[in-house]
Amino acid sequence: IESSCDETAAAVIRDGREIISSVVATQIEEHKLYGGVVPEIASRRHCESIVAVVDEALQKAGMKAQDVDAIAVSYAPGLIGALLVGVNFAKGLALSLDKPLIPVHHIRGHIAANYLAPPELEPPYLCLVASGSHSHIVKVNDWTEFETIGQTVDDAAGEAFDKAARAMGYPYPGGVHIDKAAQTGDRKKYQLPHPHTANPYDFSFSGLKTAVINLIHNARQKGEEIDVNSLAACFQYTVADILTQKFIAAAKEGGYKTLALAGGVAANSGLRSMLQQRADYNRMKVYYPPLALCGDNAAMIGCQAYYEYKAGHIAGSDLNAVATMRLDRVTW
Ligand code: KG4
Ligand code: ZN
């Protein structure tokens, strides 16, 4: 079960690798009206949809709730009111069915989405997580052992995409619109900054987002036209360049030959192709989650839950939702 942001989702997963069913009810159309996720609305919609979404996932799997071996839920990090809906529903279900309750860190789930495509990926490998709320370089030492070696010091990559897209006139969530516009733009037309960070593997995207906003304002004041497709191409190229440069440098230093990409921004075509090129050049192999599993879904939560369960990570009915939690220091 997944309800950390604006998607209510449920899935039935076999042995961590096989999707039996997966249902995602998105609230995007409603949040679009406000230019971003409104937490209070998100919680209310989760309350309204969770029963139907879980029922549909079971129905599609041809199963009854009693047939599942365990209940897993995304309990951190995320919007607290949104997470609470999934957590309380999962607790009730586990208690009434007398099944184990498995707490899953949402970002660990994003990483696990990679296990739902090719059968051979296994730790250790280095993962670049780029989502709407997180940007991390993570050593995946084992199925449930992680070490974050770099992260954003301000905006996440997806957040920067969404804010830059908004300034360009696209609706929320704007990442996918920039991706589309960039395909016909000239990526050399505008100059954008490459922000510096004290830790070479940390990211900073807020200056880049501000540069895009300033560029648009300045052009407007001078009555100049902005070539939006080219600005999208420049922005996307710069974000992909920053992410992949640091990621490949970290992989080289750590001696990694196996890499994986995760999170909503993993769907970005410019990021995928740049990472592939740079990994090929360095003789590294990259794994990607299936496109449909880059954004929030419950299949990835069920997948990671299998490994958490095998590691003995079982929660009691005192499990609580937590808004902020490092993926390499989980508690419940
Ligand atoms: O991982 P996710 O579903 O949410 C969090 O857990 O935070 O990521 C959503 C983010 C949004 O910022 C969205 O704009 C971005 O992923 N995104 C993209 C693309 N598709 C989704 N960003 C760039 N290019 C895309 N094709
Ligand atoms: Zn997510």
Side-chain angles (χ1 to χ4, degrees):
I1 292 169
E2 156 66 40
S3 72
S4 67
C5 190
D6 56 352
E7 262 91 34
T8 319
V12 179
I13 301 298
R14 181 181 287 135
D15 295 348
R17 291 269 177 171
E18 191 191 338
I19 303 176
I20 310 294
S21 69
S22 176
V23 177
V24 180
T26 183
Q27 311 171 353
I28 282 180
E29 283 309 314
E30 193 165 359
H31 297 293
K32 214 179 234 176
L33 300 173
Y34 308 97
V37 178
V38 183
E40 177 64 22
I41 294 178
S43 314
R44 285 168 191 252
R45 296 298 165 262
H46 286 309
C47 285
E48 288 162 9
S49 354
I50 195 150
V51 173
V53 167
V54 171
D55 272 353
E56 190 182 338
L58 286 167
Q59 219 174 65
K60 282 192 167 153
M63 294 168 75
K64 298 213 172 344
Q66 295 91 303
D67 302 333
V68 301
D69 296 314
I71 314 287
V73 66
S74 175
Y75 73 111
L79 299 171
I80 192 70
L83 284 166
L84 274 168
V85 178
V87 167
N88 283 313
F89 188 85
K91 274 161 64 168
L93 203 56
L95 196 68
S96 64
L97 298 170
D98 194 23
K99 305 280 181 185
L101 176 66
I102 311 168
V104 178
H105 188 286
H106 179 78
I107 301 298
R108 288 187 178 198
H110 272 298
I111 295 172
N114 281 286
Y115 305 138
L116 292 166
E120 73 273 13
L121 176 64
E122 49 181 63
Y125 59 91
L126 194 68
C127 188
L128 172 64
V129 181
S131 78
S133 43
H134 295 81
S135 304
H136 290 318
I137 296 178
V138 184
K139 288 182 175 180
V140 183
N141 298 331
D142 209 338
W143 306 103
T144 60
E145 274 173 43
F146 303 81
E147 190 186 334
T148 304
I149 58 167
Q151 57 198 307
T152 185
V153 297
D154 42 54
D155 292 353
E159 191 181 351
F161 263 102
D162 293 343
K163 288 176 178 169
R166 187 177 182 162
M168 292 177 206
Y170 294 114
Y172 172 84
V176 68
H177 298 286
I178 290 193
D179 196 345
K180 225 179 256 167
Q183 308 203 348
T184 51
D186 169 10
R187 69 162 177 85
K188 294 193 176 138
K189 185 154 181 174
Y190 299 104
Q191 281 291 322
L192 293 175
H194 261 62
H196 177 78
T197 53
N199 169 355
Y201 304 141
D202 278 347
F203 304 107
S204 165
F205 292 112
S206 133
L208 185 57
K209 163 202 73 188
T210 309
V212 168
I213 294 170
N214 287 345
L215 205 140
I216 293 171
H217 282 172
N218 288 342
R220 247 184 228 145
Q221 276 168 358
K222 291 184 201 152
E224 291 170 5
E225 276 277 306
I226 282 278
D227 172 358
V228 177
N229 289 7
S230 294
L231 184 54
C234 294
F235 177 79
Q236 178 168 294
Y237 183 86
T238 309
V239 173
D241 189 34
I242 294 168
L243 287 170
T244 52
Q245 244 180 39
K246 291 178 180 242
F247 186 38
I248 296 281
K252 274 186 179 167
E253 192 183 279
Y256 285 92
K257 287 290 174 195
T258 308
L259 312 180
L261 192 58
V265 184
N268 185 263
S269 60
L271 175 60
R272 283 188 178 223
S273 64
M274 191 184 291
L275 180 57
Q276 189 61 52
Q277 259 175 23
R278 293 181 177 178
D280 285 348
Y281 181 79
N282 288 286
R283 295 171 196 276
M284 295 165 181
K285 166 122 179 100
V286 195
Y287 289 86
Y288 306 92
L291 270 184
L293 299 179
C294 287
D296 290 345
N297 64 85
M300 67 186 197
I301 301 300
C303 175
Q304 180 60 23
Y306 174 74
Y307 299 103
E308 300 289 346
Y309 179 73
K310 292 227 297 190
H313 299 170
I314 311 284
S317 49
D318 56 348
L319 177 68
N320 208 351
V322 185
T324 312
M325 186 183 293
R326 284 182 63 123
L327 88 159
D328 49 3
R329 288 192 212 145
V330 298
T331 52
W332 60 87

